[in-house]
Protein backbone atom coordinates (compact mmCIF):
# COMPACT_ATOMS: atom_id res chain seq x y z
CA UNK A 1 0.00 0.00 0.00
CA UNK A 2 1.45 3.38 -0.90
CA UNK A 3 2.02 5.77 1.97
CA UNK A 4 -0.55 8.59 1.79
CA UNK A 5 0.63 12.16 1.59
CA UNK A 6 0.01 14.23 4.74
CA UNK A 7 -2.28 16.46 2.69
CA UNK A 8 -4.41 13.55 1.40
CA UNK A 9 -7.97 13.03 2.56
CA UNK A 10 -8.11 11.16 5.87
CA UNK A 11 -11.33 9.36 4.94
CA UNK A 12 -9.78 8.32 1.63
CA UNK A 13 -6.73 6.95 3.45
CA UNK A 14 -8.95 4.90 5.77
CA UNK A 15 -10.81 3.47 2.76
CA UNK A 16 -7.52 2.69 0.99
CA UNK A 17 -6.21 0.95 4.10
CA UNK A 18 -9.29 -1.28 4.38
CA UNK A 19 -9.09 -2.10 0.65
CA UNK A 20 -5.44 -3.03 1.16
CA UNK A 21 -6.41 -5.40 3.97
CA UNK A 22 -9.00 -7.00 1.70
CA UNK A 23 -6.44 -7.29 -1.09
CA UNK A 24 -4.07 -9.06 1.29
CA UNK A 25 -6.94 -11.38 2.23
CA UNK A 26 -7.33 -10.38 5.85
CA UNK A 27 -10.51 -11.87 7.24
CA UNK A 28 -13.76 -9.97 6.95
CA UNK A 29 -13.91 -9.81 10.73
CA UNK A 30 -10.49 -8.18 10.94
CA UNK A 31 -11.49 -5.68 8.27
CA UNK A 32 -14.73 -4.79 10.08
CA UNK A 33 -13.03 -4.34 13.45
CA UNK A 34 -10.28 -2.15 12.03
CA UNK A 35 -12.79 -0.12 10.02
CA UNK A 36 -14.94 0.38 13.12
CA UNK A 37 -12.11 1.81 15.21
CA UNK A 38 -10.65 3.87 12.35
CA UNK A 39 -14.08 5.33 11.56
CA UNK A 40 -14.63 6.09 15.25
CA UNK A 41 -11.24 7.80 15.46
CA UNK A 42 -11.87 9.69 12.20
CA UNK A 43 -15.26 10.98 13.43
CA UNK A 44 -13.71 12.07 16.70
CA UNK A 45 -10.94 13.98 14.88
CA UNK A 46 -13.46 15.54 12.46
CA UNK A 47 -15.60 16.75 15.35
CA UNK A 48 -12.56 18.19 17.10
CA UNK A 49 -11.54 19.98 13.89
CA UNK A 50 -15.09 21.20 13.29
CA UNK A 51 -15.12 19.91 9.72
CA UNK A 52 -15.71 16.59 7.94
CA UNK A 53 -12.76 17.25 5.63
CA UNK A 54 -9.50 16.58 7.43
CA UNK A 55 -6.15 15.47 6.07
CA UNK A 56 -4.04 12.47 6.95
CA UNK A 57 -1.64 14.85 8.68
CA UNK A 58 -4.43 16.16 10.89
CA UNK A 59 -5.69 12.65 11.59
CA UNK A 60 -2.33 11.39 12.80
CA UNK A 61 -1.67 14.44 14.96
CA UNK A 62 -0.77 13.09 18.44
CA UNK A 63 -3.16 15.62 20.01
CA UNK A 64 -6.09 13.91 18.24
CA UNK A 65 -4.86 10.45 19.22
CA UNK A 66 -4.47 11.45 22.87
CA UNK A 67 -7.93 13.06 22.95
CA UNK A 68 -9.56 10.00 21.35
CA UNK A 69 -7.82 7.59 23.72
CA UNK A 70 -8.79 9.73 26.73
CA UNK A 71 -12.43 9.89 25.62
CA UNK A 72 -12.45 6.16 24.90
CA UNK A 73 -11.03 5.38 28.34
CA UNK A 74 -13.74 7.55 29.88
CA UNK A 75 -16.43 5.68 27.90
CA UNK A 76 -17.47 8.78 25.99
CA UNK A 77 -17.27 7.46 22.43
CA UNK A 78 -18.16 3.79 22.39
CA UNK A 79 -20.99 2.88 20.04
Amino acid sequence: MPVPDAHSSASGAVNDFIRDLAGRQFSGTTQRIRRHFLDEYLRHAQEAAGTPQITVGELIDPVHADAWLSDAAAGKIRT
Side-chain angles (χ1 to χ4, degrees), residues 23-40:
R24 293 190 295 144
Q25 301 185 350
F26 277 68
S27 75
T29 300
T30 296
Q31 292 174 54
R32 281 189 302 278
I33 290 168
R34 291 188 183 181
R35 163 134 349 246
H36 173 82
F37 286 109
L38 286 170
D39 284 344
E40 181 181 271

Side-chain angles (χ1 to χ4, degrees), residues 50-65:
T51 179
Q53 302 300 321
I54 65 170
T55 66
V56 170
E58 292 169 313
L59 184 66
I60 63 170
D61 183 335
V63 171
H64 288 300

